[in-house]
Amino acid sequence: MSFKINDNEVDIVIAALRPDLTIFLEEWRPIFSRFHLIIVKEPDLEADLQIPHGFDHHVYTKSDIERVVGASLIDFSGHSCRYFGYLMSSKKYVISIDEDCLPARNAAGHPIDAVAQHINNLETPATPFYFNTLYDPFREGADFVRGYPFSLRDGVGCVLSSGLWLNVADYDAPTRAVRPNERNARYVDAVMTVPLQSMMPLSGINIGFDREILGPALVPALRLKGEGKQRLETMGDIWCGMCAKTVSDHLRLGVKTGLPYVWRNGSGNAWESLRREWGGVKLMEEIVPFSSR
Amino acid sequence: MAGVPSSSSVPTTPLLKDELDIVIPTIRNLDFLEMWRPFFQPYHLIIVQDGDPSKIINVPKGFDYELYNRNDINRILGPKASCISFKDSACRCFGYMVSKKKYIYTIDDDCFVAKDPSGNQINALEQHIKNLLTPATPFFFNTLYDPFRDGADFVRGYPFSLREGAPTALSHGLWLNIPDYDAPTQLVKPRERNTRYVDAVLTIPKGTLFPMCGMNLGFNRELIGPAMYFGLMGDGQPIGRYDDMWAGWCAKVICDHLGLGVKTGLPYIWHSKASNPFTNLKKEYNGIFWQEELIPFFQSTTLSKESTTVQKCYIELSKQVREKLSKVDPYFGKLADAMVTWIEAWDELNPSTTAIAPEANGAADKK
């Protein structure tokens, strides 16, 4: 059931919350340059975007957002602007990486191709109905273990690939405030399927997904009161993830987590964000039981 | 090769040397213990000798152990010995029953000390202890895996009310080198070796089943012991190599019901011996067909609110096995009987230990 995804089936969507994308795009150039980029300029950002030459790209701005969605209830400001990119893409697959993330490097110092890994995750089946203790059985050198029913070995289509982050992990404001110096240094060499009916917090920092199938579930519907431009302050992606997982479970499709890693620099003041995020923290207490049943 | 045990992280993991027994089934010899000596010597071993009881098994000097052969099992259990398999490593569960300790670590005699990617020897027992002494997180998946490991935490979006986690009942370790494949896979991929060191421990979510391998397994005997029956396998039985699978399915269903956690991942051991795939195929043959029915059975099983102890859960499960699986094969009627016999034997040998899981039903609602 594995198949090949072509480069021209993929858009890379980047939310530009800061105007200067030079370092970000230059670091990702060897990996991104084959693909079409959709860059969505954060609506409140006034300065012009700086985009180095040589990328096949399209920029969407506030005026595009207003023209297309007009007076809709959806707020595409802050980190939510990327969802406008998901809306405007016409490709089957979207990969999105935050612009404070650079390619992680392997032990030999070479940049890890996060895009290729997301594509590989989406090309190969997921296995949500029974846990394989050797993780993704479709990775080279792995397989289904003894006791794995043969009828489940075809797997199902993977519609969401949720990647991880070295350096600054995606913690919430309270955790970051209490552990400001903690860095994620652990490279876990695994991809795995999130089991059926198991909920997880989807981090929008580093994801790939099948836009045709799952796109409609990724809507920035949940915004916190006073939400700012820091990742720490947002829950929109968490909300999308809960919806996406519920829908995927219902449609018998799969969600993978694990590789690829990106190197995240992160930003923001945890104490400042705490004031804004704590509302979301409270909300999760209601959302999780709702989503779980 | 014989080396210094790998350094513990700070704070130091307790040894638990008076609270943990190591259970080893064997039919050949225990030479493998020499490599484990730096790590195992402080502990008491329970050796369950399978096969011919007149054979003398040499235990390397310096280990504190008790050894049981078939004659001992028959003597101790009397007619109830019928529930303990013969000519199959499933007999190891007798060791769980006679142990008086809080924790069990069980390992196969063809498993050796592995090395991590830095070349350090892995103290598998220490990692299992860490896994068992820290909470599991079965109610919501943490994308950074075990949040209780050094250098990890719960990620953004993880509900705070779920961050206490649940007590860990089972710690399922993995294997480098010879992977635990079934016979068909072994036949198709005879040369495949597991060389990937995945530096993670994670909780298997509530409601998710998994294939539990008994090669490198730790558990809290007080929390889940009675559910760790390894079934009727081997001599005179139509199936083999599904002992640990059976125990894993039963134990996971009961853990989910009682609000207990199951972890998988680290530690790795080095699995040195690939068993003969043709022999394995003959043993597993029925299992490969039956597991197609067994897994849906366990996935849809529910236990009643009144089953508040592991023993009660297990007896209830045995009734469902008899009702629903006898039609798959009469073997399951016998197995259901053996499950009851096991619990009777367990309670006889362990009269005062009826543990009630702390959040038997509250946690069941908590997903």
Side-chain angles (χ1 to χ4, degrees), chain B residues 17-18 20-26 30 33 43-50 57-60 62-69 72-73 75-76 91-92 94-101 103-104 221 349-350:
Chain B
K17 68 178 180 62
D18 297 322
L20 185 147
D21 276 338
I22 302 178
V23 172
I24 304 164
T26 189
L30 293 169
L33 281 177
Y43 298 91
H44 180 71
L45 312 184
I46 295 179
I47 296 159
V48 184
Q49 179 185 341
D50 196 16
I57 301 281
N58 286 318
V59 183
F63 284 99
D64 170 40
Y65 71 94
E66 52 195 289
L67 185 147
Y68 299 93
N69 61 28
D72 299 312
I73 294 172
R75 174 178 50 80
I76 292 169
C91 65
R92 77 178 78 210
F94 178 78
Y96 310 158
M97 190 194 279
V98 298
S99 166
K100 301 286 166 247
K101 303 285 175 55
Y103 301 97
I104 297 281
R221 196 178 153 277
L349 293 189
N350 301 281

Side-chain angles (χ1 to χ4, degrees), chain B residues 18 31 157 171 305:
Chain B
D18 297 322
D31 296 348
S171 167
K305 280 206 323 274

Side-chain angles (χ1 to χ4, degrees), chain A residues 128-136 139-153 162 164-165 169-172 174-175 179 182-190 192-205 231-232 234-238 242 257-259 261 277 281 284-285 288-289 292-293, chain B residues 138-147 149-163 172 174-175 179-182 184-185 189 192-215 241-245 249 264-266 268 284 288 291-292 295 299 366-367:
Chain A
F129 307 119
Y130 192 66
F131 191 87
N132 192 48
T133 48
L134 278 188
Y135 313 112
D136 188 343
R139 280 190 83 196
E140 211 177 295
D143 211 311
F144 291 97
V145 297
R146 175 175 57 98
Y148 206 104
F150 280 80
S151 65
L152 295 181
R153 295 191 190 199
S162 169
L164 294 174
W165 349 265
D170 191 13
Y171 291 149
D172 52 47
T175 307
R179 298 187 184 195
E182 184 161 290
R183 294 292 177 263
N184 184 25
R186 184 174 287 128
Y187 184 90
V188 178
D189 188 6
M192 66 190 78
T193 298
V194 183
L196 183 76
Q197 291 181 349
S198 176
M199 286 290 129
M200 59 180 263
L202 175 72
S203 167
I205 291 174
R231 256 293 176 211
L232 283 172
T234 64
M235 287 291 222
D237 49 353
I238 309 295
M242 308 285 279
T257 186
L259 302 182
Y261 281 87
E277 200 205 20
V281 164
M284 281 304 287
E285 302 301 326
V288 167
S292 300
R293 275 293 157 251
Chain B
F139 309 117
F140 201 71
F141 191 93
N142 192 47
T143 48
L144 274 190
Y145 313 112
D146 188 343
R149 279 188 85 196
D150 276 341
D153 213 311
F154 291 97
V155 297
R156 177 174 57 97
Y158 202 104
F160 276 80
S161 63
L162 298 182
R163 295 191 188 198
H172 178 261
L174 295 175
W175 353 271
D180 188 22
Y181 289 160
D182 53 48
T185 309
K189 294 183 167 190
E192 187 154 278
R193 299 290 177 263
N194 185 24
T195 57
R196 184 175 286 127
Y197 184 91
V198 177
D199 189 2
V201 182
L202 59 135
T203 296
I204 301 181
K206 178 176 171 174
T208 301
L209 291 178
F210 76 112
M212 183 177 84
C213 173
M215 259 195 262
R241 284 172 54 89
Y242 273 83
D243 50 337
D244 41 7
M245 300 294 138
W249 296 326
T264 187
L266 301 184
Y268 283 90
E284 287 173 6
I288 286 174
Q291 70 190 2
E292 298 295 335
I295 282 152
Q299 282 173 333
K366 211 187 209 178
K367 192 186 174 179

